[in-house]
Amino acid sequence: MGVEQRKIIHIDMDCFFAAVEMRDNPELRDKPIAVGGPASGRGVISTCNYAAREFGVRSAMPSSEALRRCPDLILVPGRMSVYKAVSQQIRQIFQRYTDLIEPLSLDEAYLDVTDSRHCRGSATLMAQQIRAEIEAETGLTASAGIAPNKFLAKIASDENKPNGQCVVLPKQCAEFAAALPLRKIPGVGPRTAERLAQRGLHTGADVLKQDPAELAQWLGKFGPVLYQRAQGIDPRQVQTHRERKSVGVETTVAQDLGSEAACLDKLLSLLPELSRRLGERPFKGINVKLKFSDFQQTTVSGQGQSLDPQALRGLLHTGYQRGEGRGVRLVGVSVTLAPEQPQLALGLE
């Protein structure tokens, strides 16, 4: 069966963490709330309910900024163990319909229901039933997108939020994708969108007017991918097992770090936790991440198979210089995992 004939459902829980908090504390239901760290501790919003979003509060926003936008915002500390337990409950509902499940996070997943016999094989009816079962069994609502591929299903799930669903039929794929603003296409971040807009490209239809070779010249490997997405094509399969590619640890500091030496101290303090998370897994690269006081961030990567402080110092120096004197609010370090083959597990000679 061709990729274009598959039946993919993307389920996305509605403001998941905040919804769990409202379910467990009904007094919060009609108030603007957000799950995140305290503003005094440089906290960041994980998610917020729709009442808070009306004030412009968004995920990944500093808690202090969220409170400026919404002075009545109620900040709730996260309860990750509870969210994981609810996520597992939802996963068990998915498994009633298919074994082909690709979780993206605790609150969203792709389901390939191409060969499922539930609901007379109708993916639309399956999505409705899955959402109804989630609400009945957890008290939470979910939205769904149904399409012949992952890319369109994910975008469709956002069309009728909250507590709704959207279907893109095979014959509608090209038209649906052509009308999409490019910023909605995964992989098109703010900078790429700006570069494309400078060339007069704003929608999928605009991309299709371009020479694919020129797109590849402008955007590298992403050029051909963007050209495919603009046609509504996505050959990726639902992956039931994802190989982990990296392990890392990072921390946001209470006050901006004003020197390279202070950043290095903080970086080195993260190594014991990174070693604990890494265990015996071999790796092939080291990455140092810095986020500056204006929230711009940079990552510097190098090769290496051991957590050599000297190598880390060099990567940090390169990253810190990119800050041009700005304070540093977040320091992180990660490793790029190597395939687990015995010859790659050896240290450098």
Side-chain angles (χ1 to χ4, degrees):
M1 180 175 285
V3 172
E4 72 281 355
Q5 296 176 318
R6 301 205 73 76
K7 299 175 183 178
I8 309 297
I9 301 173
H10 179 257
I11 299 283
D12 192 8
M13 300 301 296
D14 299 322
C15 60
F16 182 49
F17 294 177
V20 172
E21 298 303 332
M22 290 187 292
R23 179 196 71 177
D24 293 351
N25 184 355
E27 291 181 7
L28 298 175
R29 190 168 296 278
D30 298 319
K31 299 173 182 176
I33 75 163
V35 175
S40 58
R42 308 289 293 271
V44 174
I45 302 299
S46 293
T47 191
C48 59
N49 65 359
Y50 290 96
R53 292 180 194 191
E54 290 179 7
F55 290 86
V57 178
R58 293 288 182 269
S59 300
M61 177 180 284
S63 299
S64 54
E65 171 66 17
L67 285 166
R68 278 195 292 273
R69 295 189 181 206
C70 181
D72 294 328
L73 183 69
I74 299 171
L75 275 175
V76 182
R79 298 182 296 154
M80 193 55 67
S81 60
V82 176
Y83 309 147
K84 285 181 177 177
V86 178
S87 180
Q88 188 57 38
Q89 225 183 325
I90 294 165
R91 174 74 178 264
Q92 289 169 356
I93 293 172
F94 296 161
Q95 288 171 335
R96 297 169 192 168
Y97 293 84
T98 179
D99 292 327
L100 298 176
I101 302 165
E102 180 180 340
L104 299 179
S105 59
L106 291 179
D107 64 341
E108 62 174 320
Y110 291 114
L111 285 66
D112 186 333
V113 296
T114 307
D115 298 321
S116 177
R117 299 192 180 279
H118 289 272
C119 303
R120 303 186 303 280
S122 167
T124 301
L125 292 178
M126 279 187 257
Q128 287 176 346
Q129 200 161 299
I130 289 168
R131 291 174 45 240
E133 290 176 16
I134 289 172
E135 186 166 12
E137 296 176 34
T138 71
L140 305 171
T141 63
S143 297
I146 304 97
N149 61 51
K150 289 162 68 171
F151 156 61
L152 292 177
K154 184 170 174 64
I155 290 175
S157 68
D158 204 40
E159 290 289 298
N160 292 317
K161 268 189 166 287
N163 198 22
Q165 65 183 55
C166 172
V167 183
V168 182
L169 298 173
K171 63 183 180 182
Q172 299 170 327
C173 289
E175 185 179 354
F176 184 86
L180 282 176
L182 293 180
R183 189 65 183 87
K184 279 196 169 187
I185 296 179
V188 180
R191 290 184 182 177
T192 302
E194 189 178 334
R195 287 173 59 200
L196 292 167
Q198 287 170 355
R199 296 178 181 271
L201 308 184
H202 303 281
T203 67
D206 295 332
V207 168
L208 295 180
K209 296 173 186 173
Q210 308 304 306
D211 181 340
E214 283 192 21
L215 281 174
Q217 222 172 14
W218 302 341
L219 302 172
K221 291 180 181 177
F222 184 60
V225 175
L226 180 60
Y227 197 76
Q228 275 197 327
R229 299 293 185 269
Q231 299 172 75
I233 297 171
D234 179 8
R236 296 174 302 157
Q237 300 293 311
V238 168
Q239 297 179 324
T240 56
H241 173 73
R242 282 188 161 195
E243 185 180 353
R244 188 162 190 177
K245 296 183 178 179
S246 66
V247 175
V249 59
E250 60 185 42
T251 184
T252 300
V253 295
Q255 292 185 326
D256 288 348
L257 301 175
S259 70
E260 186 175 330
C263 291
L264 181 61
D265 286 344
K266 181 58 67 176
L267 181 67
L268 295 178
S269 75
L270 299 176
L271 294 185
E273 175 61 16
L274 177 59
S275 295
R276 186 189 71 78
R277 295 184 186 183
L278 182 61
E280 297 298 318
R281 282 176 288 190
F283 59 94
K284 60 182 180 179
I286 310 171
N287 318 290
V288 170
K289 173 182 173 182
L290 298 176
K291 183 181 288 186
F292 301 107
S293 54
D294 59 357
F295 291 89
Q296 293 295 310
Q297 66 182 44
T298 188
T299 300
V300 187
S301 301
Q303 293 184 331
Q305 293 171 288
S306 65
L307 296 174
D308 176 15
Q310 193 60 38
L312 288 166
R313 186 177 285 112
L315 296 174
L316 175 71
H317 176 74
T318 300
Y320 189 78
Q321 293 301 308
R322 293 175 184 173
E324 298 178 337
R326 288 172 288 175
V328 173
R329 62 174 283 121
L330 177 147
V331 177
V333 58
S334 65
V335 295
T336 304
L337 297 175
E340 292 199 31
Q341 299 173 2
Q343 66 270 28
L344 294 179
L346 300 174
L348 290 172
E349 294 284 322

